[in-house]
Each structure stands twice: as structure tokens, then as C-alpha cells.
Amino acid sequence: MKPSPIDTQTKLVGLLGQPLGHSFSPAMHNRAFEALGLNFCYLPIEVADENLETVTAGIARMNFAGYNITIPHKIRIMDCLDAIDPLAQAIGAVNTVIIQDGRSTGYNTDGIGFIQSLEITSGLTVKDRSVVILGSGGAARAIAMTLAHRGASRITVCNRTERKALALSLDVNRQGRDCCTAIPMLAGPMEAVLGDTDILVNTTSVGMHPQKELIPIKETMIHDHLVVCDIVYNPRRTQFLKVAQQKGCRIVEGLGMLVYQGAASFQLWTGQEAPISTMFDAIQP
Ligand code: ATR
């Protein structure tokens, strides 16, 4: 379908962050709007920290349906909104805002995007599954909180800096559900947990371009009963996933999380189901 002409009826959406550098989001969303014939336009908008409040207040009074937020504003944006969805509140970060009647409401679609990608790619549902998460940064937090919300039976967080894993597990138990423990990134405790785990997720940056040969845990710890997921998407198939696949595991690439978190935002803004394959096509490297 031809893109809608930009006119007074066009609904704007955008990505707020700084520096934005290269982002897949404008191409992914604009192609999706075009595919469904929606008169929407997605813009990258660089916003300095000191201007976040002024810019978001202005956007709420313009023809914006909403926006995405990225580094470094995902936490501070929460002070600029009228309402926050309970899951985003528990995660402590917002990546999507919708604007209705001048009111801005914050959501977090990162964990939802991860789970949707995992469930659709692997055919496994997360309810009643045990999960090990490697890493304890922002992405691990969104994934752990959303897994707790969706009924995972046990979540184990494992991080190089152990106190961060412990802090995250306490937060999940307090604000999500009492299902999370932390372990140190050591062979003994990790082996003990992985033997009885369904899903293993790497949220660390290990294996990301240019250090493409690295994997976050020892190869011997990867067993064929695991569904192995990586949130790193450059390279698209990380060394961790290649090793897991060689061992017979089902694998889930990080690009899926990127697309499905975008699809969840798209649905919040437009009220329509996102055209997933168009979005994948738009961001093929
Ligand atoms: P994001 O928001 O994408 O999750 P982040 O908040 O910077 O990114 O988190 C990065 C994660 O990768 C952290 O858990 C970090 O571990 P530390 O808390 O110990 O720093 C983890 N990480 C980064 N480099 C690592 C490495 N070489 N080995 C193990 N973990 C690493």
C-alpha cells in the first residue's frame, strides 16, 4: 500500500532519547503503518535530559498518539506522566507512552515483547515454567517482572555482580510474586539450578558485536532440554545460540524481542494488531 500523505489528520508517534544513533524503530513502525494504511508517522526525536519535561508536556498537547522512550529517559519519564500501568510501575521503567485527551499514560512492553517472541518462536508458554536469567540490568528487570506477572513457577537471577542479582530478586518478590531467587555466577550453583530449568535467557551484553565469539556461560552448562534465548540481536544469531542449537536446544533470537515489543507499542497506539512479518522485514540487517 502507498504511504498515507502527511496532512492535518496524521497521528504522530516518535522515539525520545539521546543520543538516538541508529534505531530500527522508525523504519519498523512506518512500514507497519503503511502496510495497514494507517495515517500515522513515526519520528526520531532527540531530547536532552534537561528538556524532557518541557518536550513531553508539549507533545501531550499536539497531534501525537504517543511515543517510545529510550536511553537515558526510561526511568525519569515516569515523573512526567499522568498515569503509569502497574506492570511498568513494578518494572520501574517506561518504554511506551500513549496520549489520550491530553493525558499521558506509561507502559513497559519490553518484557511482554520478550515473552511473546519466546512463546511464538518456541511453542512453550511461560506459565508454570522455571527460568534462569543471566544479567541484572534494565532488560533483565523488565523480563523478570513480566515473567512473575505471567505465572512463571520459578525465576533465578544470576549476575556477575551478585548484589545486583539479589536486589532484583528482592524487588520481584516484593512487587511481582514470591518466586525469585539470586545465585552467584559460579559453576556449582548454576549447574544445580540449570538441571531443573526450562528456559535460559541471556540479558548480558556478552556476545554482542564486536565480541561475537564470547558466550555468557560455559558450554558444558547448556543441556538439550533447555529453551535458550538471547536478547542480543547483533549478531542476529549469537555464538551462545549457535552452541545451544548444536546441542539440540530450541533457540530464540533477540531480534524477536525487538519486533514484539514494538508490536505491543503499535497496538497500544493504534488499537490494531501489528503486522509482524512486515516489521521483521523492515529491520532485516
Ligand atoms: P540492559 O539495560 O541492556 O540490561 P545494563 O543495565 O547495562 O543493560 O546491564 C548489562 C548486564 O550485562 C549487567 O547484568 C552486567 O553485569 P554487571 O551487573 O556485573 O555489570 C552484564 N554484563 C556486562 N558485561 C558482562 C560480562 N563481561 N560478563 C558478565 N556479565 C556482563
Side-chain angles (χ1 to χ4, degrees), residues 91-104:
I91 292 169
V94 159
N95 78 332
T96 304
V97 172
I98 60 174
I99 299 166
Q100 283 166 321
D101 304 322
R103 278 177 58 81
S104 305

Side-chain angles (χ1 to χ4, degrees), residues 135-140 159-161 164 185 203-206:
S136 294
N159 194 46
R160 176 177 63 179
T161 311
K164 288 198 209 160
M185 213 173 231
T203 72
T204 76
S205 47
V206 178

